[in-house]
Amino acid sequence: IQPGDMVAIMRTAGDVGAMQEFTSDKRKLHAVADRLKWYWQSSTGLNSFGAEGDVRGAAAGEDQPSMLGGASTMYSDIETIRRLILVANGLHEMPGRKSIVLFAEINLFDTANPLANQMFELLADASGRAGAPIYPIDARGLPTLALRASDNPRVPQPHDITQTSTTELNDVVVGAQQNRMGSFLASQESMRYLAKITGGLFLRDNNDLGVLMGKAMEDQQGYYLLGYTPDPSTFDAKTGRRKFHKISVHAKRKGLEVRTQSGFLGESDKDTTPRRGTTNAVVDALVSPFGSPEIEVGMTALFFNDAARGSHITTLVNAKAGDLTFHEAADGRREIAGDIAVLVFADTGEIAEKTAVSFSGSLRPAEYEKALKNGFLFTMNLPVKKPGAYDVRAAVRDKASG
């Protein structure tokens, strides 16, 4: 970390948000890194590679995949991409040169997943608008692809073992190793593609992850900033449909390689800078995965379905009263005013529902003391129109302090 650098450590699983805020304090970053835990039920599983030819417990002639290699589902495939979109959107309003370094050890998406291409277009657009290329790092380092004790390659089993030639045995071993090499290269494909569409670098084949991290930082030392005015037809104002437009940059001098974002969605830039003192500032802060520690907020989201309201999420938000500003009135009451907002993110990374309201109160001395002890509890209901997985985020703003 160089002087002036700010770093935040994120995770792509679990709840949305930063494990800590941007900081240049290495002690805080080390503390966050120490809290990172290995999760055995992740899509990677116990091993980066399943055992070759593991057919124990399978019927004759049937393949049985090893459960040690993890499992991939449509939701897990796009979850990491969705979190990256949130991170890129959160970096949009931050000044200076930015980058996203992703440590991964799995294929991030399945090409058969119908949402994969759509999600990558959203990510390429968000990364380009934020000026934040992505640097995927294969956290497996330089793994050995040789056979292990857990492998069980299928070797011909004649009645007389002496009838199995050395060539046959060699072909089986070589074939198993080639299968593993193919699986390894395929597992890197999405990370390579991710770097390509955002203008970053895919860093791999080194057991010293610090060296790879240094290469990502070195790549940030110099760059060209190019821009142009798109044709009005780029933005389909009639239908509102956001078409993805590809971008390619070529250098006239031979031997040069140009890396840039792959394209953008046909949506014009807007002044999204939140104005201090408005409810929009709360909503815009929620879109960013980098929260603010100024007001301590707790939240519980509960799903309900009833005849009157249908499917909906009831969100309970608790705000620490001691972090809010109270003004003492002439009659001894304590007055307070603020805003609260709740956003519901769909599994595509887009905002499914949102609500924001203002609140105010005038508390007697006894009520004020009780509020300082227990905080304020807000209840908000948001409809759920489609089935699926959702992330709910809440924020509270103090009007006095902005």
Side-chain angles (χ1 to χ4, degrees), residues 4-247:
D5 289 347
M6 301 291 287
V7 181
I9 298 178
M10 310 290 297
R11 57 186 174 192
T12 57
D15 57 328
V16 178
M19 297 188 70
Q20 49 123 113
E21 307 309 317
F22 274 100
T23 181
S24 58
D25 190 335
K26 294 184 180 181
R27 296 173 303 172
K28 293 182 179 180
L29 294 171
H30 279 296
V32 173
D34 289 341
R35 296 203 306 270
L36 293 173
K37 302 296 182 183
W38 175 70
Y39 184 49
W40 74 275
Q41 286 186 318
S42 68
S43 52
T44 303
L46 299 180
N47 293 319
S48 296
F49 305 102
E52 287 291 330
D54 188 356
V55 294
R56 287 166 292 181
E62 294 182 356
D63 289 333
Q64 176 140 341
S66 171
M67 295 305 293
L68 301 182
S72 177
T73 65
M74 179 174 291
Y75 181 75
S76 64
D77 283 348
I78 66 173
E79 181 63 12
T80 296
I81 310 173
R82 187 177 75 86
R83 300 299 172 92
L84 288 172
I85 293 174
L86 289 175
V87 171
N89 287 334
L91 290 172
H92 185 271
E93 298 301 328
M94 301 190 70
R97 183 65 170 167
K98 295 153 283 188
S99 61
I100 301 172
V101 180
L102 171 66
F103 292 89
E105 56 180 354
I106 60 171
N107 205 28
L108 299 177
F109 76 104
D110 180 4
T111 54
N113 188 334
L115 291 177
N117 291 331
Q118 176 188 353
M119 295 295 292
F120 269 112
E121 288 180 354
L122 291 172
L123 178 56
D125 179 77
S127 171
R129 293 176 189 267
I134 300 178
Y135 296 85
I137 292 180
D138 191 338
R140 294 172 294 186
L142 187 60
T144 175
L145 301 177
L147 296 183
R148 303 187 302 257
S150 60
D151 293 312
N152 184 27
R154 295 186 176 185
V155 180
Q157 297 292 329
H159 295 292
D160 185 357
I161 190 63
T162 60
Q163 295 179 9
T164 302
S165 66
T166 304
T167 301
E168 288 179 304
L169 293 174
N170 182 70
D171 290 343
V172 170
V173 173
V174 171
Q177 290 179 330
Q178 289 177 342
N179 289 339
R180 175 155 294 163
M181 174 64 77
S183 299
F184 177 69
L185 295 177
S187 69
Q188 293 181 328
E189 184 57 36
S190 62
M191 288 187 276
R192 185 179 292 105
Y193 182 66
L194 181 60
K196 179 180 178 181
I197 65 173
T198 63
L201 289 171
F202 174 39
L203 305 168
R204 62 194 186 279
D205 299 339
N206 196 316
N207 291 331
D208 190 339
L209 300 184
V211 171
L212 299 181
M213 186 78 173
K215 290 183 178 180
M217 297 301 98
E218 182 180 355
D219 190 61
Q220 295 285 294
Q221 298 304 312
Y223 62 95
Y224 292 94
L225 182 62
L226 306 178
Y228 76 101
T229 302
D231 187 87
S233 61
T234 301
F235 311 104
D236 191 348
K238 293 183 179 180
T239 64
R241 183 172 58 89
R242 301 187 303 170
K243 182 180 179 181
F244 188 78
H245 300 269
K246 295 183 178 180
I247 294 176

